[in-house]
Amino acid sequence: MSVLIFAELDEGKLRKSSQEAIFYGAKVAEQLGTSATAIVIGQADESELATAGRFGATNVLHASDAKLNEPNGMAYATVVAAAAQQEGTKVIVLAKSSLADAMAARLVGKLRAGLAANVVELPDLSNGFRVKRSIYTGKAFAFTDLTADVKILAIKKNTITVEESDATASVDTFSPALNDSDFGIAVKSTDKATGDVLLPEADFVVSAGRGLKGPENWGIVEGLAKALHAATACSKPVSDLDWRPHSEHVGQTGLKISPNLYIACGISGAIQHLAGVNSSKVIVVINKDPEAPFFKSADYGIVGDVFDVLPRLTKAVQAL
Amino acid sequence: MKILVCVTSVPDTTTKITFTDNNTKFNKAGVQFITGPYDDYALARAVELKEKLGGTVTVLNVGEADTEPVIRKCLAIGADDAIRVNADPTDAFFVAEQIAAIAKENKYDLILMGRESIDYNGGQVHGIVGELLGMPSISPVMQLDIDGDTARIVREIEGGKESLEAKLPLVLGCQEPIAEWKIPNMRGIMTARTKPLKVVEPTSKDTLTNVSGYELPAPRGNVKMIPADQVETLIQLLRTEAKVI
Ligand SMILES: Cc1cc2nc3c(=O)[nH]c(=O)nc-3n(C[C@H](O)[C@H](O)[C@H](O)COP(=O)(O)OP(=O)(O)OC[C@H]3O[C@@H](n4cnc5c(N)ncnc54)[C@H](O)[C@@H]3O)c2cc1C
Ligand SMILES: Nc1ncnc2c1ncn2[C@@H]1O[C@H](COP(=O)(O)O)[C@@H](O)[C@H]1O
């Protein structure tokens, strides 16, 4: 009956977003009067897996078959479905990511489970099973009743404030049968930035637009990001022009993020850009045009030239 | 090459969203409907592949009669024919079952969708359809080339991308820069009027979720402006007032 949380690894460590998913899942388990089990797939040390206990999981199922070393949404769905069956799970929780989204959709088909994506609060169990989720790219919320026997909740970043305890989780090896048909996609190469703060997971984001004039000027954006331990992001024209990689593009047709702090530099604030960032907790806008629409959606604003303001902000952060 | 492109009809990206009937209905008054921006990328690549390799492009929408302008526009852009499943697309599983039923009948080599719809942003229909058909699904796809029965794909992952290879048939969720959005020309618009648009009834009615109401986000408070000669105070305010750093 336990609540099952799909916890993702990044280089052998539990992802920050997965810690939040575990904490959220443990709270749902409390509501339902049951316990929380995390399913982790891939290579990781037992001591690392036991840290799932800090966020509220009592048990971790660890699937470490070498065939699962490459992230694979289909094969992972097979593993999670087997875990759900073993545990008699009715509620599965995960944090949105490219892998988790692919996995969750396949699970819907396998288990005929109702999936709510972009969940922003704990469920309301007073009358069935109701969740609040973000729709229209952050422009509204829908209250959704999950009517199927098995329910999957894909949570957005910053849905719940995580508290840690000093508990540890027990770790069990989990070795379900795998399907050959899940391994039809061959990964030829991976090209991934390492060492940087991952944008979807970042608490702080420094983002820049066409106001930066050209890719050669990104040093001042990276400088502030580095001082804050922030990730960098950009507007759509900036990635269209190849000034920055596509994976940094936020907005309607890019990533949707909800960090604690979003600093927008030389971005006008078009509605399609706002759609991707408007659920950030605090928004700072720096623009030389006092009429820039972004100021209407900001918490703090500076009318000024980014080439002057950014280096000064970086110094002020370094002085903290 | 037989390609199916699944498209949504969604409010234009500049729409101000509002609800009526005590927050239980989306207010369509004055709203301009467009093809889902990600679906538009899928369609553009499908038309390019057809031009290069030959074959057909069929457009599919699960929706009521008011989605037909969007379907006609897809035909004007270069799809050969269209199917509309006549139903309110209430739930991703419901939509996926309709798409899977049509795909079983017609055996497509490629089923292209958008990475996500911009109304419900579920990003799930492609994966569910893949599972229902026993086909691999991949999303979000940024690059797609076909070489015989093999697809070469570049997919976005957190902080980068991945190059993949898989055998057809496949279900793909697409995003930029897979192709440039296409704008219909006059000739396209003329021929679209006579291209076949078949309307069929849904084959099943199962849903797994049900929306009971809506809410708009609370507006942000007033912006606090910081004079340009004192920008350093922003950092103090973020620490002491906003308490985020
Ligand atoms: C269907 C659709 C989907 C879209 N999806 C997205 C999306 O996902 N993400 C996205 O970002 N956009 C998206 N767009 C595009 C969007 O409409 C805007 O065109 C885009 O966001 C503008 O980018 P920008 O603010 O960087 O550039 P601009 O609009 O050119 O703004 C540049 C800003 O920089 C300021 N500036 C210039 N120089 C300086 C300086 N020295 N110091 C300070 N400020 C300066 C200017 O005052 C201006 O406000 C989409 C559009 C459509 C139609
Ligand atoms: N009602 C629908 N009719 C046809 N295709 C759809 C429909 N809803 C979703 N899709 C397709 O599935 C993709 C993902 O949608 P979603 O899972 O709702 O985010 C969309 O980009 C479309 O390609």
Side-chain angles (χ1 to χ4, degrees):
Chain A
M1 260 307 284
S2 67
V3 169
L4 188 67
I5 299 112
F6 171 66
E8 231 178 288
L9 293 171
D10 189 24
E11 291 168 14
K13 300 270 175 242
L14 284 181
R15 278 198 168 176
K16 197 156 164 248
S17 57
S18 294
Q19 298 173 350
E20 188 175 342
I22 295 169
F23 186 76
Y24 180 99
K27 288 285 166 202
V28 178
E30 248 174 60
Q31 287 178 309
L32 293 166
T34 176
S35 60
T37 299
I39 167 89
V40 181
I41 305 173
Q43 304 304 320
D45 293 338
E46 186 165 333
S47 58
E48 170 65 19
L49 297 174
T51 64
R54 286 200 224 150
F55 309 100
T58 44
N59 184 33
V60 175
L61 299 176
H62 183 206
S64 60
D65 190 315
K67 283 178 95 176
L68 299 168
N69 284 355
E70 297 277 7
N72 174 337
M74 286 187 283
Y76 281 31
T78 300
V79 173
V80 174
Q85 214 133 33
Q86 171 180 310
E87 299 287 308
T89 294
K90 300 293 178 210
V91 180
I92 300 171
V93 174
L94 50 96
K96 274 185 74 70
S97 77
S98 62
L99 174 63
D101 289 352
M103 198 276 306
R106 302 292 300 204
L107 266 186
V108 170
K110 277 191 203 301
L111 304 174
R112 287 181 81 89
L115 164 59
N118 296 308
V119 171
V120 297
E121 276 178 9
L122 284 170
D124 171 5
L125 306 183
S126 59
N127 186 3
F129 197 107
R130 181 168 292 178
V131 295
K132 181 175 177 179
R133 67 192 170 106
S134 165
I135 58 167
Y136 291 112
T137 324
K139 290 187 206 169
F141 299 104
F143 294 95
T144 303
D145 293 320
L146 300 183
T147 49
D149 185 38
V150 179
K151 300 151 177 65
I152 306 175
L153 309 184
I155 64 168
K156 240 180 123 142
K157 181 181 158 66
N158 265 336
T159 285
I160 195 162
T161 310
V162 176
E163 296 154 29
E164 281 183 57
S165 72
D166 51 15
T168 52
S170 61
V171 179
D172 296 322
T173 304
F174 184 63
S175 315
L178 301 176
N179 296 330
D180 286 343
S181 62
D182 287 339
F183 295 90
I185 301 170
V187 179
K188 292 290 165 189
S189 64
T190 304
D191 165 11
K192 188 179 157 194
T194 50
D196 296 338
V197 185
L198 277 183
L199 177 55
E201 312 236 310
D203 287 331
F204 312 129
V205 175
V206 182
S207 184
R210 208 144 48 179
L212 266 282
K213 308 278 190 284
E216 67 280 8
N217 297 326
W218 243 259
I220 53 172
V221 179
E222 285 166 336
L224 178 59
K226 190 150 183 259
L228 281 167
H229 300 290
T232 50
C234 68
S235 66
K236 176 168 154 61
V238 165
S239 72
D240 286 350
L241 291 163
D242 265 338
W243 294 359
R244 300 296 293 175
H246 187 272
S247 54
E248 281 197 3
H249 150 207
V250 292
Q252 183 92 55
T253 46
L255 272 179
K256 286 83 188 165
I257 55 171
S258 44
N260 293 338
L261 174 62
Y262 183 76
I263 304 183
C265 315
I267 300 176
S268 56
I271 189 160
Q272 295 96 350
H273 183 85
L274 293 176
V277 302
N278 56 7
S279 44
S280 308
K281 267 195 194 143
V282 173
I283 295 181
V284 175
V285 169
I286 304 161
N287 196 303
K288 69 175 184 191
D289 174 9
E291 302 298 324
F294 216 149
F295 285 119
K296 290 202 183 67
S297 306
D299 300 290
Y300 296 97
I302 297 174
V303 177
D305 187 326
V306 286
F307 296 98
D308 164 50
V309 175
L310 287 186
R312 286 170 58 195
L313 289 179
T314 306
K315 277 212 189 92
V317 173
Q318 283 163 344
L320 282 179
Chain B
M1 175 80 23
K2 239 176 115 175
I3 309 177
L4 179 70
V5 182
C6 303
V7 300
T8 53
S9 167
V10 291
D12 174 62
T13 53
T14 58
T15 308
K16 191 167 183 303
I17 304 292
T18 56
F19 302 101
T20 60
D21 295 22
N22 198 19
N23 273 340
T24 58
K25 274 208 179 70
F26 175 70
N27 184 5
K28 288 189 181 174
V31 173
Q32 166 85 31
F33 282 80
I34 58 165
T35 316
Y38 294 112
D39 313 345
D40 244 347
Y41 287 120
L43 176 65
R45 188 61 190 145
V47 170
E48 288 174 359
L49 287 173
K50 180 187 88 162
E51 281 164 2
K52 202 167 135 208
L53 307 167
T56 54
V57 174
T58 301
V59 165
L60 169 60
N61 168 259
V62 181
E64 291 173 326
D66 58 359
T67 67
E68 288 197 4
V70 158
I71 300 176
R72 286 279 172 215
K73 191 179 157 209
C74 296
L75 291 170
I77 283 174
D80 299 286
D81 61 343
I83 304 170
R84 180 170 67 83
V85 179
N86 185 31
D88 186 11
T90 41
D91 159 78
F93 183 76
F94 171 80
V95 170
E97 281 209 315
Q98 312 314 317
I99 296 174
I102 285 170
K104 268 185 196 144
E105 225 175 276
N106 295 291
K107 304 260 182 292
Y108 300 97
D109 301 298
L110 266 179
I111 303 179
L112 300 187
M113 305 195 192
R115 139 194 213 150
E116 67 181 27
S117 58
I118 65 159
D119 45 5
Y120 282 109
N121 308 110
Q124 30 174 325
V125 171
H126 29 77
I128 306 174
V129 168
E131 187 65 33
L132 293 176
L133 295 173
M135 264 181 214
S137 54
I138 305 172
S139 178
V141 173
M142 304 169 76
Q143 216 177 300
L144 166 65
D145 288 294
I146 305 291
D147 184 357
D149 64 348
T150 303
R152 291 187 220 294
I153 287 168
V154 176
R155 182 177 85 102
E156 187 157 87
I157 55 172
E158 276 74 12
K161 46 198 180 179
E162 220 174 42
S163 300
L164 309 170
E165 258 180 43
K167 294 265 180 254
L168 304 181
L170 291 171
V171 187
L172 307 179
C174 305
Q175 73 170 27
E176 65 175 349
I178 192 165
E180 301 253 354
W181 284 326
K182 290 196 191 312
I183 299 160
N185 58 26
M186 211 37 176
R187 196 169 150 265
I189 295 169
M190 298 302 287
T191 54
R193 291 194 192 143
T194 54
K195 286 181 179 171
L197 193 173
K198 191 162 92 183
V199 179
V200 300
E201 292 304 315
T203 47
S204 67
K205 298 219 175 314
D206 309 342
T207 61
L208 304 172
T209 61
N210 176 31
V211 174
S212 60
Y214 300 97
E215 192 180 279
L216 292 173
R220 239 167 238 280
N222 283 339
V223 55
K224 188 173 219 167
M225 297 306 292
I226 292 152
D229 57 347
Q230 302 166 25
V231 299
E232 291 76 10
T233 57
L234 171 72
I235 303 303
Q236 292 309 324
L237 288 169
L238 290 175
R239 175 158 272 195
T240 54
E241 188 179 76
K243 298 192 169 60
V244 286
I245 62 170

